[in-house]
Amino acid sequence: MTAQADKASDVRADATAGARSLLPDRARVFVAGHRGLVGSAVARRLTAEGHEVLARTRAELDLRDAAATAGWLRAVRPDAVVLAAARVGGIMANATYPVQFLEDNLRIQLSVIAGAHAAGVPRLLFLGSSCIYPRLAPQPIREDALLTGPLEPTNEAYALAKIAGIVQVQSYRRQYGAAYVSAMPTNLYGPGDNFDLETSHVLPALIRRFHEAARDGAPEVTLWGSGTPRREFLHVDDLAAACTLLLRTYDADEPVNVGCGEDLPIRELAETVRDVVGYRGRIGWDTARPDGTPRKLLDVSRLFALGWRPGIALREGVAAVYAQWRAEAAAQAPGSVPDPGAGGVAAAH
């Protein structure tokens, strides 16, 4: 595990101590999406806790194929499933490919959840997203805010797919008594993040933008929107710790928010990333571009009542992610990743 994961592992679930675990010792757990940001963190955590992680690549098993997915699950019969597989992306990707964000995610969810039930899998954790909540939901957002108002238009298709997943999990609980549960993470970052500027989320996009700006030596980085929307960020190793806790202890209809309980303006996030990278130029804001939801802070009292707390501070986590990304990029193309702190200001994009 990473140093950040070690910190996350120090968090104790005292409220559930002594309770019967819903996940057996040395369980065999299928992590759907094990190569992604979330799935890889969950797989690391489960392995560290002594469980056996079962995994399949997309080439080996297309989770959109219901028959193939059900057949594999029947053959393997895991003790639990963590459904972390999904088509994900930022505002631009969601706006450009709404059909794929809706249909691919619906197909994956239908295949995996129905297939798990048909195979007699006793435990399943479905991972959604905080974008399921109404655009103007009261802050911080409680789980019961779901379906109480209009969604954010820029990611409506993705959000509707994730809402369908929650309802599917609840339906299997109510009709069949399945011990299936849902968790709704806030904005995530960490090892294995996506740094493709066309499809990435805001934090890895900022890291890459400021890094390339410092490398190229131009005077300004222009970012989308006004910088005023507020966002909450959680290191993915903290999410993984929460997921294993929920697998062991939580069994109820209601989804569980997973976040740190604090947020900050995107402008402040950009300044933090700029300082970590060592960029010395200006930050500009293109207010003709969309801001997205004004604020999206999760009420995490349900999760905190189980004894969980996050262990990784934002600046520390961003610095670790940046260092790892630079090391990986340098290993792939030696000499192509100079130290931006050696001088220079940044390129506008």
Side-chain angles (χ1 to χ4, degrees):
M1 297 192 346
T2 64
Q4 285 74 25
D6 289 338
K7 286 195 174 186
S9 69
D10 290 338
V11 177
R12 297 290 183 261
D14 295 330
T16 60
R20 180 182 66 86
S21 176
L22 297 168
L23 186 68
D25 292 339
R26 302 189 180 281
R28 299 167 67 248
V29 184
F30 173 44
V31 179
H34 72 286
R35 287 183 165 179
L37 173 67
V38 172
S40 61
V42 172
R44 289 193 302 270
R45 180 75 187 197
L46 287 166
T47 299
E49 293 187 4
H51 302 293
E52 178 186 354
V53 173
L54 308 175
R56 281 294 181 270
T57 65
R58 185 179 302 175
E60 293 169 329
L61 179 64
D62 185 345
L63 296 176
R64 296 170 298 181
D65 185 332
T69 301
W72 185 81
L73 286 166
R74 281 196 303 269
V76 175
R77 295 191 182 277
D79 296 305
V81 169
V82 177
L83 180 41
R87 176 181 285 271
V88 298
I91 290 177
M92 181 182 295
N94 273 271
T96 306
Y97 306 107
V99 171
Q100 286 74 22
F101 276 87
L102 178 67
E103 294 185 357
D104 284 355
N105 285 306
L106 286 173
R107 290 188 179 108
I108 290 168
Q109 293 160 194
L110 288 167
S111 293
V112 175
I113 298 172
H117 173 71
V121 177
R123 197 81 174 111
L124 181 143
L125 173 62
F126 169 68
L127 291 169
S129 166
S130 59
C131 74
I132 63 166
Y133 294 116
R135 183 176 188 272
L136 299 178
Q139 304 289 318
I141 307 172
R142 292 164 44 95
E143 288 90 348
D144 58 13
L146 183 63
L147 297 176
T148 60
L151 298 167
E152 163 59 38
T154 57
N155 56 20
E156 183 179 47
Y158 176 76
L160 285 170
K162 288 297 183 179
I163 291 170
I166 297 170
V167 175
Q168 188 182 2
V169 164
Q170 292 172 332
S171 298
Y172 273 91
R173 292 184 59 86
R174 294 167 186 172
Q175 186 168 339
Y176 300 112
Y180 294 178
V181 295
S182 299
M184 300 300 113
T186 189
N187 299 289
L188 301 168
Y189 71 99
D193 217 334
N194 172 23
F195 286 83
D196 183 332
L197 292 178
E198 295 295 321
T199 58
S200 64
H201 287 112
V202 60
L203 205 155
L206 287 173
I207 290 174
R208 181 167 177 177
R209 290 286 306 281
F210 283 118
H211 174 83
E212 293 182 350
R215 177 198 64 194
D216 295 344
E220 182 174 286
V221 171
T222 301
L223 304 175
W224 278 26
S226 65
T228 59
R230 300 180 68 89
R231 292 293 182 270
E232 177 183 19
F233 293 91
L234 184 72
H235 194 285
V236 73
D237 285 337
D238 278 330
L239 169 66
C243 287
T244 58
L245 172 65
L246 291 171
L247 281 171
R248 292 193 308 270
T249 65
Y250 187 73
D251 188 18
D253 272 10
E254 296 80 10
V256 179
N257 289 337
V258 183
C260 63
E262 299 178 356
D263 62 2
L264 76 167
I266 292 296
R267 184 180 299 272
E268 185 177 332
L269 174 69
E271 292 167 353
T272 298
V273 175
R274 175 198 62 191
D275 294 345
V276 167
V277 169
Y279 168 62
R280 300 185 184 125
R282 299 186 300 273
I283 300 176
W285 297 93
D286 182 356
T287 55
R289 300 287 190 172
D291 267 337
T293 304
R295 193 181 188 195
K296 197 166 59 172
L297 175 65
L298 295 182
D299 182 322
V300 289
S301 56
R302 180 172 290 165
L303 180 60
F304 278 21
L306 297 176
W308 179 90
R309 294 294 187 279
I312 303 168
L314 180 62
R315 187 183 182 93
E316 174 192 0
V318 169
V321 169
Y322 177 52
Q324 181 177 21
W325 175 69
R326 288 188 62 215
E328 291 172 353
Q332 292 173 3
S336 66
V337 188
D339 180 3
V345 287
H349 293 283

